[in-house]
Amino acid sequence: MDEIINLTSVDQYNSLYGFETLHPLVSVADLRKATKSLNNVQLNYGLYAVFLKLYKSCDIRYGRRKYDYQDGTIVCFAPDQSVSITNSEGVSQPVLGLVFHPDLIRGTTLGKNIKQYGFFSYAVNEALHLSEQEKSIVIDCLKNIQLELTHAIDKHSKSLIAMNVELLLNYCMRFYERQFITRENESHDVLTKFEELLDEYFSSNVPESDGLPTVKYFAGKICLSPNYFGDMVKKITGKTAQEHIQEKVIDFAKERILGTEETVSQIAYSLGFQYPQHFSRLFKKRVGCTPNEYRVQTE
């Protein structure tokens, strides 16, 4: 069984690899220079982490899934996530990384916006694949943070470091959005499958027993994390996955309103709503009138 390490501080992370701690809340790590190594361990993160894998040297598992990543990829982790690592014996780790404690960004702009960086919740198999130019940008960002860490800590240190971390994360966001577009075939397949699953779900009796489906439900069916799936759908279509679900609900509702004599309540329950008034509220919001008004207008 893998050794389990609860990673709660930057100093603890540095100690695991034999690095000096320059700042208690943040560290830039070059694992090629590590004097210690980890093998067959499970890390339970209490930190944020961004790692640039220069080339493959170890296997990573996120939950039960294994990711055989390519050269020049970024993987990100956030507090409350667990990762298992198996290193190739006798091989140094060609990894550049940034780890920072949540306290570093509390009270900063980054702290307020950290939730917008959905890639912290992407599964490892959804890692970001970088071009050579993009890789250089990431490396430059890490160098700038490292430069600030070598400066004596003063009243400007926290804000300047946080700004540089935010810059790195913004570049990662840009690169992911580019990836959604350049992986056109994969994105198209995902959207096609999503549409098929929506039709299949609402054409069945499942909504009556299981209720309205969630984004997480469809992401699981397509074997993607909810955040990655949602971000891909939004970037490619301009609408959120939840909006797609609601549109499909309304499409099926319209068919039943006009094609059957079912009451509004019966239609609501058949589509997975627990309360008919919630269905009526959504219908009016999306269509501009209530279900009953829609039925009368189209008779």
Side-chain angles (χ1 to χ4, degrees):
M1 181 178 178
D2 292 350
E3 177 187 1
I4 298 177
I5 299 175
N6 294 315
L7 193 58
T8 58
S9 72
V10 168
D11 185 63
Q12 181 188 9
Y13 177 85
N14 287 335
S15 296
L16 291 173
Y17 290 98
F19 295 131
E20 178 185 2
T21 298
L22 300 178
H23 192 289
L25 298 179
V26 60
S27 180
V28 174
D30 185 344
L31 296 188
R32 295 171 297 184
K33 300 177 181 179
T35 59
K36 300 178 182 178
S37 62
L38 299 179
N39 190 35
N40 296 325
V41 298
Q42 176 181 315
L43 293 179
N44 295 333
Y45 273 85
L47 310 172
Y48 289 97
V50 178
F51 294 114
L52 171 61
K53 309 287 184 176
L54 299 176
Y55 57 84
K56 183 182 177 182
S57 60
C58 67
D59 291 329
I60 296 179
R61 286 185 179 274
Y62 186 95
R64 296 181 179 180
R65 297 193 57 150
K66 179 179 177 182
Y67 176 54
D68 184 13
Y69 53 84
Q70 308 295 317
D71 297 355
T73 61
I74 282 184
V75 291
C76 303
F77 306 115
D80 299 322
Q81 294 178 350
S82 295
V83 180
S84 295
I85 300 177
T86 302
N87 289 326
S88 302
E89 292 187 13
V91 178
S92 64
Q93 297 306 301
V95 177
L96 301 177
L98 170 73
V99 294
F100 61 96
H101 194 280
D103 286 349
L104 175 74
I105 60 175
R106 295 194 197 283
T108 68
T109 301
L110 178 57
K112 296 176 182 177
N113 298 325
I114 192 66
K115 296 296 184 184
Q116 78 177 15
Y117 301 103
F119 49 76
F120 279 113
S121 295
Y122 293 173
V124 173
N125 64 296
E126 298 157 349
L128 174 59
H129 301 271
L130 302 179
S131 68
E132 286 301 315
Q133 183 183 46
E134 291 168 345
K135 194 189 325 184
S136 296
I137 290 173
V138 170
I139 292 173
D140 286 343
C141 286
L142 292 174
K143 286 180 179 178
N144 289 337
I145 297 171
Q146 178 65 24
L147 182 62
E148 185 60 39
L149 291 179
T150 60
H151 190 285
I153 296 178
D154 57 29
K155 64 180 182 180
H156 302 291
S157 296
K158 181 178 179 179
S159 61
L160 287 172
I161 293 171
M163 287 171 61
N164 278 284
V165 172
E166 186 173 15
L167 178 62
L168 171 62
L169 299 184
N170 285 339
Y171 273 118
C172 289
M173 182 77 81
R174 169 188 278 180
F175 299 155
Y176 258 114
E177 290 181 355
R178 180 272 305 159
Q179 181 166 284
F180 292 146
I181 296 173
T182 55
R183 291 183 172 184
E184 184 177 353
N185 290 337
E186 175 187 325
S187 300
H188 178 75
D189 289 345
V190 167
L191 294 176
T192 299
K193 183 63 176 176
F194 183 29
E195 185 69 23
E196 292 174 352
L197 288 169
L198 281 168
D199 286 332
E200 179 182 303
Y201 192 89
F202 288 109
S203 296
S204 69
N205 295 323
V206 176
E208 292 187 60
S209 58
D210 293 1
L212 288 170
T214 62
V215 173
K216 182 179 180 180
Y217 169 84
F218 291 112
K221 289 287 187 180
I222 303 174
C223 297
L224 295 173
S225 64
N227 277 31
Y228 187 90
F229 172 66
D231 288 348
M232 176 186 288
V233 171
K234 178 66 181 295
K235 183 59 183 176
I236 301 302
T237 69
K239 295 182 289 188
T240 67
Q242 185 61 37
E243 287 174 326
H244 281 274
I245 294 173
Q246 291 179 351
E247 285 183 357
K248 186 61 64 173
V249 168
I250 297 303
D251 286 344
F252 272 83
K254 287 179 176 179
E255 289 182 12
R256 296 188 185 184
I257 290 171
L258 301 182
T260 73
E261 295 182 355
E262 294 177 324
T263 65
V264 171
S265 292
Q266 288 173 324
I267 294 172
Y269 292 133
S270 70
L271 292 173
F273 287 87
Q274 187 174 3
Y275 303 105
Q277 58 267 37
H278 291 174
F279 164 63
S280 295
R281 189 178 303 125
L282 175 64
F283 192 94
K284 185 171 184 178
K285 179 181 178 181
R286 304 287 302 194
V287 181
C289 62
T290 67
N292 280 328
E293 289 171 343
Y294 181 78
R295 175 173 273 166
V296 172
Q297 292 173 7
T298 53
E299 285 181 348

